Amino acid sequence: MDIIHSVTDLRERLQREPNNVFVPTMGNLHRGHIELINIAKPRAACTVVSIFVNRLQFGPREDFDKYPRTLTADCEKLRAAGVDVVFAPDEGEIYPEPQTYTVEPPDIQHMLDGAVRPGHFRGVATVVLKLFNMVRPHSAIFGKKDYQQCLVLNNMVRQLALPIDIILAETVRAQDGLALSSRNSYLTPEERKEAPRLYAMLCKARDELSAGAHDYQRVELDVMADLAHHGWKPDYIAVRRQADLLPPENGEGKLVVLAAARLGRTRLIDNIEVERE
Ligand code: PAF
């Protein structure tokens, strides 16, 4: 496995193996990331994983400084998973000064997580486009836990005609249902015990919607109230259309319930898809 820090070295390495599939990450890897790699590996001769904590997608009061950076341990996991190339660039490789160009996603960037984290999806789209240009993969894998991110990036690839297949992977969960996330490491032992409630409430909402509930606002408010009652501070609970995350009309078949809530100092996000006849 090659560990590469500069764009020049990356291009040189990938010239020898242009048939590559890409898994972008911010490091601090867990089983969810390894699952993305398992999906990637059979698709190409060369699996490339990037590790870059992208300042541009963090707000000024968010956790950029304390985001866990564990490159040595990450590389061990990636080697064991059979990855061929790790790209761990310095900030200057991704953002040559002055950093002037950004990718401005359409309105979807301002709703839900984008409303709570202004500029977040501009930061994600900008870094992912740059990474795509550096790695030039034919396919890239993203986890559905970041549902809105998946839509923003799918849209970007379509609109900018990038020759890249975006492959979406199901969320990987702990046995008690908590979606795996690097930020779970911020939870205290007490909070960790409480954290599975988020997914449990999403499952309850899904069951109600599958059984025909049409009062979306009531479904959202019930989840919100239960979480608040147990000490959470929800940012949003939203029943939306899978295709564009807009509020659904009655009779809409493909829904997704998205949630973001704070438990102590940790912000957790999750979602669940709902298919109705
Ligand atoms: O999902 C993530 O880890 C990040 O948003 C990504 C796609 C690596 C961009 O920084």
Side-chain angles (χ1 to χ4, degrees), residues 251-273:
E252 189 77 44
K254 286 176 178 293
L255 302 174
V256 55
V257 190
L258 303 111
R262 284 168 209 279
L263 186 56
R265 289 164 51 196
T266 309
R267 182 172 188 273
L268 298 178
I269 63 169
D270 204 347
N271 63 77
I272 194 163
E273 290 179 320

Side-chain angles (χ1 to χ4, degrees), residues 145-267:
K145 184 173 87 65
D146 298 302
Y147 206 88
Q148 191 172 358
Q149 167 172 289
C150 290
L151 261 76
V152 167
L153 296 176
N154 243 329
N155 204 341
M156 176 179 85
V157 163
R158 225 181 24 249
Q159 293 292 328
L160 301 182
L162 304 178
I164 299 171
D165 277 343
I166 300 286
I167 294 152
L168 303 184
E170 294 303 324
T171 301
V172 179
R173 301 182 179 280
Q175 273 201 335
D176 58 12
L178 177 66
L180 298 191
S181 160
S182 302
R183 290 189 169 99
N184 292 352
S185 63
Y186 301 158
L187 296 166
T188 65
E190 276 311 297
E191 289 165 353
R192 176 62 190 81
K193 279 190 213 142
E194 171 60 22
R197 184 180 305 281
L198 187 63
Y199 183 57
M201 291 310 293
L202 287 177
C203 290
K204 183 165 172 285
R206 175 204 51 203
D207 293 346
E208 287 178 20
L209 293 166
S210 299
H214 283 290
D215 187 350
Y216 304 131
Q217 211 182 11
R218 204 250 328 133
V219 172
E220 293 167 356
L221 289 175
D222 281 357
V223 176
M224 233 5 142
D226 183 275
L227 291 174
H229 180 71
H230 289 91
W232 296 68
K233 291 195 173 59
D235 281 338
Y236 59 81
I237 310 293
V239 180
R240 295 294 170 98
R241 309 201 299 206
Q242 284 179 23
D244 52 15
L245 300 188
L246 289 173
E249 307 284 329
N250 267 350
E252 189 77 44
K254 286 176 178 293
L255 302 174
V256 55
V257 190
L258 303 111
R262 284 168 209 279
L263 186 56
R265 289 164 51 196
T266 309
R267 182 172 188 273

Side-chain angles (χ1 to χ4, degrees), residues 24-26 33 52 54 57 120 124 127-128 142 146 149 153:
T25 82
M26 296 206 300
H33 295 107
F52 179 68
N54 174 36
Q57 71 188 72
H120 171 67
V124 170
V127 80
V128 170
F142 295 89
D146 298 302
Q149 167 172 289
L153 296 176

Side-chain angles (χ1 to χ4, degrees), residues 56 95 99 101-103 121-130:
L56 208 64
Y95 295 119
Q99 159 62 30
Y101 279 78
T102 52
V103 178
F121 290 111
R122 179 190 306 125
V124 170
T126 301
V127 80
V128 170
L129 181 62
K130 284 176 180 247

